[in-house]
Structures are given as C-alpha cells and as structure tokens.
Amino acid sequence: MTDFTMKTDTDGVATIIWDTVGKSMNVMSRDSMALLSDLIDDALADDAVKGIIITSGKDTFAGGMDLNVLASIRQESGDNPAQGLFDFTMAGHHMLRKVERAGMDPKTNKGGKPIAAALPGTALGIGLEVPLACHRIFAADNPKAKIGLPEIMVGIFPGAGGTTRLVRKLGAMAASPLLLEGKLNNPQKAKAAGVIDEVVPADELLAKAKEWVLSEPKIVKPWDEKGYKMPGGAPYHPAGFMTFVGASAMVNGKTQGVYPAAKALLSAVYEGALVPFDQALKIEARWFTNVLMNPSSSAMIRSIFINKEALEKGANRPEAPDQKVSKVGVIGAGMMGAGIALVSALAGIQVVLIDAKQDAADKGKSYTAAYMDKGIARKKATEEKKEAVLGMINATTDYAALEGCDLIVEAVFEDVGIKAEVTKNVQAVTGPDCIFATNTSTLPITELAKASADPEKFIGIHFFSPVDKMLLVEIIKGKETGSVAVAKALDYVRQIKKTPIVVNDERFFYANRCIIPYINEGIRMVKEGVEPALIENAAKLVGMPLGPLQLTDETSIDLGVKIAKATKAAMGDEYPNEAVDEVLFWMFDQERLGRKSNSGFYAYDDKGKRQGLWDGLTAQYPVADDQPDLTTVQHRLLFAQVLEAVRALEEGVLEDIREGDVGAILGWGFAPWSGGPFSWLDIIGAPYAAERCDQLTAEFGDRFKTPDLLREMADKGQEFYKRFGQAAKAA
Ligand code: NAD
C-alpha cells in the first residue's frame, strides 16, 4: 500500500487518490511527495489520459505537512541545513509547478491536461496548497470541513506556493486574513472568499470534477498570461501601496514584532509581488527557509504542534484500561463548575451538576444555555443542538443523582473543610471506587485526599478560567494518587478536547507557581518607581499576551490579596513579597479590585472598557527619575517565570519538559514565539541564562538565584531538550 494511487477510467480521466497509510487524515511526507510527483509525470506522459483529478480516499482531503519532516531535513542536512531546507522547498515548488503547467507549451500556453482537485472535506496547509496548484478546486458541501492555511499558528507560513498563489489569486488584501491569521473557512465561505471554485453535493463530487476535466476547459493561470495584474494592485500601484503599508503596520501591531514568521510572510508577499511568478516562488522558498532556520520557529513547531499533540494522545498516560467517562458529577455550579458542566456536555458526557441551592444549580446550567444561544446567533449551533446539550445536564441539589457517575469533579468554595464534607457526601452515594477530582487552585491535593475513603482514587483536575476557552488542564497527582486515577483524568481531558499536563503536588502546582512571580515582579517594579507603561509594554514586546498589571486586573486584586495572605501564613519569616503586598493591599484598600469593580491598575469606562493606566498609581508610587532599560524589565519578567519552571523540574513537580513548555503557552500565554520556558532557555543558552541570573541576583535579590540545575547545565554547556527531551529519555 502507498499513500497515493492512480487509476484511469475508460473516458481517459486519471484519478489520483491520496490515502495516507495508517493515519485517519492524510499528511504529506517526503516519500508521498515523491510519489505524487511520479504519478503526475506518468499521467501527463500517458496519451490515454485526458485529464486528472486529485482526491482523497478518506472523508477529509488532508491535514497538511507532516511537520516532523521539516525537523528531520534540518537534522539530515549536516553542516548546511539551510541549503537542505531550501532544496527541499524548491523540489516542492517544481512538483506543484508541474501540476500547474500540466504540460502546456511554455511560450504559447497551448496544450496541457486539466487537473481538478476534489476535496471531500477538510483541506489544510499543503492539503490546500496542492489544490491551489490545480486548475479548479471542487469541494463537497460539508459545512464541518475546514479549508485554509493555518501554518502561521505554529510559527511558519505556507511555503509550498500557497503564499504566492493565494496572493496572486485574491490580492494581498483579501489573502491577508487567510495567510496572516490562518483563518479557516467551511467550503461555502471558502468559495465566497475565492479560495476554492465550486461547492457541490458530496455524492456528486467526483462526477462534477470529471465533467469539468472533460469539458476542455481553459487551464492557464492568470499569472501565466501576458498582462496579468494582481487583484487590488501590486506594491507600487496606489491601491496596493495602501494595502502593503497597512498590512505592515497591522502585523507589527498584532505581533509586537516577536514572531519571525509573520514578518517573513509579509516580506515574501511584498517582494514576490514585484517579480514574475517563478521568481516569486523562489523568494517564498528563501523566506520559508529563513523562518525554518529561526530557532523560534522550530521551538514553536515542537511545542505547539508536535509536543502538544503527543500530550493530547496520552504521551504520559500510565498503562490502564480505557477510562472514558460516561457520567460526570460536577459539584459546585459556580463560575468553574458551570464551565466544566458545559464542556463535558458538549463532549457528549452526561452531567449531574450539584449546588447547595437549586437556583445556584440552575444558574450554573444557564451558562450552557447562554453559550449555546451565542452559538446559534453565530450560526454555529442550532436549537436542536442546544436542547440536546442542555438535556445532558441534570442540575440538582440531590446527591442521590450521582449514582452511576464514573468521575466526580469538585468545584466548590476554596475551603478545606467544605471540600472534605463534600467528598464524604459524594462518596456516600458513589462508593470509594469512583475517581474523585478536585479543581482546587491552591490547596494541596494530598491534604484534600485525606477526606477520601481511597486516596488512590483522588486526584486534582485543575481547569483554567474561562473553562470553555482555555485549552490547558493541569492534572495533579497527590502523594497517593494511583495510575487509574491519572488515566481517568487523561481520558476525560481527551474527551473534552483539551490539552493535559500531569504534575506533582507542590504549592501552586505548575502554572500558578510560574505566573504568580510574573505578576509579583510587575507590581514590585511599580513600588520601585518603574514607569507602569514601561512594565506593561515590556511584557507585551516580549510576547506576553497581557502585562502583569493588566493580568492582575483580570484575575482580580482581592484574589491576589487572598493568595498573598495564605502564602505568607504558610511561609512565615521566609515570605519574600512584602514590597509587592504593599502595593497590592493599598489597591485593595482603595477598593480598586480590578476589572470586576471597573477600577484597578487601569481605569475603565462605565461600560467596563479598559482605558489607560490609572494615574492614581503613579501619584502614590512616583515614577523614578532613572528608568531601567527595556531588556532589564523584560528579563526580570521572563526570568521570574522561567526560574520557577526550572525549580519545578528540579523538584520533580514537572516530570517532562514538554509539559512545562506546552503548559506555559496554553496555560498562561508564556511568549509563544519562544516555544515555552525551557525552549527559551535553550535559545539563549544555559551559560548566558546563568550569567544573567547572577547579574539580576546582584541587582534585585535572591529570587533570581541561579538554580543548581541551570548552573550545572551552564557549566557543562547542556541544553534542556538534549538532556531531558524524548530523544534523551529514549537513549
Ligand atoms: P464560585 O464561588 O464561583 O463557585 C463555587 C460554587 O460552589 C458556588 O456556586 C457555591 O454555591 C457552591 N458550593 C459551595 N459549597 C457547596 C456545597 N457544600 N455543596 C455544593 N455546592 C457548594 O467559585 P469558582 O471560582 O467556581 O471556584 C470553584 C473552585 O475552583 C475553587 O476551588 C477554586 O479555587 C477553583 N478554581 C477557580 C478558578 C477561577 O479562576 N475562579 C480557576 C481554577 C480553579
């Protein structure tokens, strides 16, 4: 069996069928690309073949390139990986250009064989770039199918001609959301956007494509004809000029200039627009190589694509029978419980949603109703779907309804006593065998497990707020948590389509442990007289989604005060954050609680829209005459988080650095361009990181002290992914 096969019918239409062996979705590998190229050669050379259809043997067309290929080419190319990547990319261009030219005479554009792409479903990345090289794209009318070029989301851009072809087909303006934001469309919308040509009933897909192939259609692409003009204008056309200037400003505004792929994409589009098509492909290949050679891109691909997927597929799942959940009990129908009920019901899991009072339980359920209503308004859901999802949730105060549950997720108030009582009440109905998970964000799992009849079946499943939007779920093993509980939590997270990390039970687990020092460092700088706008902008310019002050407003100042008090009580004299608390508690005393009170480090208008930084802050904590440089502020904010991640690894809270990186990006948006804290340390190198920590320690205090592990790695010149990555583990 091979990934591409071809059969020619009696009418002379050759159908090339893409069916990647052993995968549920087609992906392009090096071998399959060579195979496709050979089949195209055969079909073009065969006089019996009048035209070609490229389609899929699956119900989708293709998911894209196997990104592991790019990493392996880089590795195999010895001393000159850039040349290896460029040659590989150009080979792809030659193959697709062969499809596009289809044997036409290079001078007259006469002759050639029509080639149609017939997409039964989703077509992403190179799965759309192949069709874009064809002469006509047909898609089955399947509203669930997604069509687009999402490469930018993992730190690269479409490098198999998709960038050049889409810009020439649609113009730079119309192509920009598809290329720069990786926007995906269903077939009808893709047709309206001009990306594909025809949407046809699924059962007529091949027949329509064949009809077109045999209709002796004109196949020369507009850009291969004399006098071609780019829609919307090339860069030096007045309209084109506006587009290109605007795009550059927009991209920098959105990415803060930290994503190399966005800049490279713009360069490929702009420079490519000034030259003939084949030259533009070469420029695209050069920029593509440039991006692939940037450590940021390989780190992003590794974390956001390869490792994220590995974790979702259960890379760290212990051996245990399938633990798929059919009925979950969610205790506490507040902000978190309501969200947990929603995502569970959406995944087809029956939910019993319990609160102390019926109206609280009903209110929790109404969150799902409101969510579905929004979906209906956006035409993403229907009334029937809403009823079906609501029908999965039984909102009640009656614990007896928990009978038959195979997982409990407790999300009541953050109080050991209340949680213990709930645990006992639940287990009186479910018995001790049902896995019991707590959503606590601060209380030790091992401590809470003491209330359980069987601590082996007790575990932490820590969601992030808002539950329906946040992709990460942190699974926390208490000292006695057993492997079945871990497997259950992982299988559940997989069902609700989120990404899990599994960590051990230490204060604040992993995500909060790293994000709290980031917030604290920002607030500490306010106290020192650093200009608040400098703090916030430094964070954003290094790729953090929110500055530390804005993040505090979002999570609320009273929560910060609560955590500070609890931490101080636990740490006693060793508590290091008095300076932070001075500012935080003062804000609390001013009743500026953050977004929820419409007042915090930022000012808000009556409608809750965030305005500028609140000027009362600098009135209380005046801005010092001497301001630090941008890099110092950025390093303080980054190292505050990254050193916690290293300590978590040192202490065994993290068992897998992939989880540390993926968790950081998905959990709190840690500078995604870097690939996560460990990838960032590998990019800057352990020796430099240790040296920088020494400087920061001397200037700002012991919280920046180089962890022993980092010092040792600096001395030995080691990298995290070489020492702790999967390859190292396998060796
Ligand atoms: P919340 O106050 O919005 O909801 C708690 C709910 O539990 C309330 O509806 C309350 O009536 C109910 N409840 C209290 N005692 C109960 C009992 N004995 N039986 C049944 N129901 C009871 O709180 P929340 O923000 O949803 O947080 C819930 C849990 O999730 C806490 O442990 C919190 O630390 C954790 N958590 C919160 C966040 C967050 O961002 N809010 C994030 C992660 C984890």
Side-chain angles (χ1 to χ4, degrees):
M1 288 234 299
T2 55
D3 287 3
F4 282 97
T5 49
M6 181 164 75
K7 56 176 194 228
T8 303
D9 67 15
T10 46
D11 297 317
V13 175
T15 304
I16 296 177
I17 300 169
W18 190 355
D19 202 347
T20 307
V21 179
K23 299 243 180 196
S24 58
M25 211 185 242
N26 292 327
V27 286
M28 189 70 91
S29 65
R30 252 193 292 186
D31 288 349
S32 53
M33 205 139 119
L35 197 59
L36 175 61
S37 182
D38 288 347
L39 291 179
I40 295 287
D41 284 338
D42 291 348
L44 291 178
D46 185 347
D47 287 341
V49 172
K50 297 198 181 101
I52 303 165
I53 298 171
I54 302 179
T55 189
S56 158
K58 306 190 194 288
D59 57 3
T60 51
F61 185 67
M65 187 80 193
D66 178 352
L67 291 180
N68 291 299
V69 171
L70 299 174
S72 66
I73 290 172
R74 214 179 130 121
Q75 274 157 13
E76 286 164 23
S77 304
D79 291 344
N80 203 348
Q83 190 66 48
L85 289 164
F86 179 74
D87 291 346
F88 171 76
T89 309
M90 283 309 294
H93 283 328
H94 288 311
M95 193 266 280
L96 291 177
R97 196 65 176 128
K98 185 166 64 190
V99 170
E100 189 160 56
R101 296 297 299 158
M104 271 177 267
D105 183 281
K107 291 220 169 76
T108 62
N109 282 333
K110 294 240 162 65
K113 298 181 183 181
I115 305 183
L119 319 178
T122 291
L124 301 175
I126 201 168
L128 178 59
E129 291 179 290
V130 171
L132 283 169
C134 297
H135 305 119
R136 198 155 185 86
I137 308 175
F138 293 80
D141 192 6
N142 168 359
K144 288 218 170 111
K146 293 198 169 97
I147 294 178
L149 299 167
E151 284 87 342
I152 200 80
M153 311 299 281
V154 290
I156 53 176
F157 69 86
T163 298
T164 302
R165 286 198 175 85
L166 208 61
V167 169
R168 277 186 161 60
K169 191 169 179 177
L170 307 180
M173 182 72 107
S176 79
L178 303 159
L179 293 171
L180 284 167
E181 295 163 27
K183 190 172 189 297
L184 307 181
N185 286 309
N186 66 27
Q188 293 288 0
K189 285 196 178 142
K191 177 168 188 274
V195 178
I196 62 169
D197 304 299
E198 292 197 38
V199 181
V200 298
D203 55 357
E204 295 175 22
L205 180 66
L206 290 180
K208 291 281 183 202
K210 179 172 169 176
E211 197 183 302
W212 177 83
V213 162
L214 292 175
S215 69
E216 297 184 9
K218 181 177 172 195
I219 58 173
V220 61
K221 289 284 175 72
W223 43 89
D224 284 325
E225 288 194 294
K226 279 218 173 70
Y228 164 75
K229 288 213 165 46
M230 184 177 285
Y236 292 119
H237 179 277
F241 181 77
M242 296 307 288
T243 305
F244 280 91
V245 170
S248 179
M250 187 195 86
V251 168
N252 274 300
K254 277 199 176 167
T255 64
Q256 313 289 345
V258 291
Y259 292 93
K263 276 191 195 173
L265 169 65
L266 273 186
S267 299
V269 170
Y270 177 86
E271 293 165 20
L274 300 171
V275 294
F277 189 79
D278 285 301
Q279 218 38 45
L281 286 179
K282 214 168 186 180
I283 289 173
E284 185 191 293
R286 289 209 186 285
W287 279 114
F288 190 60
T289 306
N290 175 291
V291 163
L292 293 177
M293 288 303 294
N294 191 307
S296 158
S297 299
S298 20
M300 276 180 84
I301 291 176
R302 183 175 60 204
S303 291
I304 301 175
F305 182 76
I306 298 172
N307 290 343
K308 175 175 172 288
E309 198 174 284
L311 298 178
E312 284 163 0
K313 285 192 172 153
N316 292 324
R317 186 186 187 278
E319 278 295 320
D322 185 7
Q323 295 294 319
K324 205 164 170 227
V325 176
S326 52
K327 183 174 174 187
V328 63
V330 180
I331 321 296
M335 186 164 96
M336 298 305 287
I340 297 165
L342 163 67
V343 295
S344 303
L346 283 175
I349 301 171
Q350 262 191 64
V351 181
V352 179
L353 180 60
I354 291 200
D355 208 294
K357 297 233 167 65
Q358 185 61 41
D359 55 355
D362 291 339
K363 184 163 174 247
K365 183 171 173 176
S366 71
Y367 184 75
T368 293
Y371 176 91
M372 296 306 294
D373 284 340
K374 248 189 244 161
I376 294 170
R378 289 187 196 147
K379 299 212 163 40
K380 291 203 165 148
T382 57
E383 282 296 339
E384 297 80 66
K385 174 82 182 159
K386 175 182 166 187
E387 287 317 309
V389 174
L390 284 173
M392 302 298 289
I393 304 176
N394 173 12
T396 177
T397 57
D398 182 8
Y399 277 61
L402 296 172
E403 177 89 51
C405 282
D406 51 340
L407 174 70
I408 300 294
V409 182
E410 168 276 305
V412 300
F413 297 140
E414 190 75 336
D415 179 291
V416 179
I418 297 178
K419 287 190 189 289
E421 193 191 315
V422 165
T423 309
K424 292 207 160 66
N425 291 342
V426 167
Q427 289 186 336
V429 179
T430 62
D433 281 345
C434 173
I435 304 295
F436 190 104
T438 172
N439 182 46
T440 181
S441 29
T442 57
L443 304 170
I445 304 302
T446 309
E447 191 62 31
L448 295 178
K450 287 183 181 155
S452 166
D454 185 358
E456 251 191 59
K457 307 272 164 54
F458 195 95
I459 194 162
I461 300 186
H462 181 212
F463 285 87
F464 295 82
S465 175
V467 176
D468 42 287
K469 292 220 175 78
M470 297 298 286
L471 300 172
L472 187 74
V473 177
E474 194 172 22
I475 294 171
I476 305 118
K477 294 186 282 187
K479 292 239 155 39
E480 293 182 63
T481 302
S483 55
V484 174
V486 177
K488 185 98 201 167
L490 282 167
D491 291 358
Y492 169 61
V493 171
R494 190 171 184 172
Q495 274 176 278
I496 58 174
K497 298 199 175 74
K498 297 203 181 278
T499 309
I501 61 171
V502 183
V503 302
N504 285 304
D505 187 20
E506 277 297 332
R507 188 199 309 277
F508 300 137
F509 319 132
Y510 175 62
N512 285 341
R513 173 186 183 139
C514 298
I515 195 69
I516 291 170
Y518 168 70
I519 287 177
N520 285 348
E521 201 59 31
I523 298 177
R524 198 186 301 272
M525 285 193 252
V526 171
K527 165 91 171 75
E528 289 170 15
V530 178
E531 170 68 69
L534 173 58
I535 303 168
E536 295 292 89
N537 287 328
K540 288 202 204 140
L541 285 169
V542 82
M544 294 298 295
L546 302 183
L549 304 180
Q550 190 188 340
L551 183 57
T552 315
D553 271 9
E554 295 296 331
T555 50
S556 90
I557 295 203
D558 48 326
L559 178 67
V561 166
K562 209 171 142 194
I563 291 175
K565 282 185 177 162
T567 312
K568 188 169 177 179
M571 293 183 77
D573 290 345
E574 288 181 21
Y575 184 67
N577 295 326
E578 300 290 354
V580 177
D581 290 356
E582 188 193 315
V583 180
L584 198 64
F585 288 34
W586 177 76
M587 290 289 290
F588 183 76
D589 291 342
Q590 306 303 303
E591 295 179 7
R592 297 190 72 88
L593 302 185
R595 174 177 288 286
K596 70 179 181 190
S597 72
N598 248 5
S599 63
F601 287 114
Y602 283 80
Y604 298 80
D605 70 12
D606 296 346
K607 291 192 183 109
K609 190 159 187 281
R610 192 165 44 83
Q611 310 291 304
L613 280 150
W614 174 51
D615 49 16
L617 187 62
T618 44
Q620 177 73 11
Y621 298 100
V623 172
D625 290 339
D626 266 352
Q627 289 294 308
D629 61 53
L630 180 68
T631 310
T632 302
V633 178
Q634 289 178 326
H635 278 179
R636 287 180 69 173
L637 293 172
L638 282 184
F639 276 107
Q641 306 167 69
V642 165
L643 291 181
E644 265 328 309
V646 174
R647 288 180 199 119
L649 179 67
E650 247 179 349
E651 291 167 20
V653 172
L654 274 179
E655 294 178 356
D656 182 341
I657 56 169
R658 296 179 298 176
E659 294 180 311
D661 274 352
V662 173
I665 295 174
L666 300 188
W668 72 93
F670 180 90
W673 64 266
S674 70
F678 296 103
S679 293
W680 183 65
L681 287 171
D682 279 352
I683 290 174
I684 64 170
Y688 174 70
E691 185 192 323
R692 196 71 186 105
C693 288
D694 291 343
Q695 291 162 355
L696 292 171
T697 307
E699 211 174 332
F700 303 107
D702 277 352
R703 62 190 180 282
F704 292 108
K705 205 161 156 257
T706 311
D708 291 345
L709 173 64
L710 184 59
R711 174 80 66 206
E712 183 199 320
M713 291 178 62
D715 292 344
K716 294 183 179 162
Q718 289 177 331
E719 290 174 23
F720 281 91
Y721 273 87
K722 289 222 170 98
R723 177 163 166 177
F724 297 103
Q726 283 316 288
K729 276 191 185 165

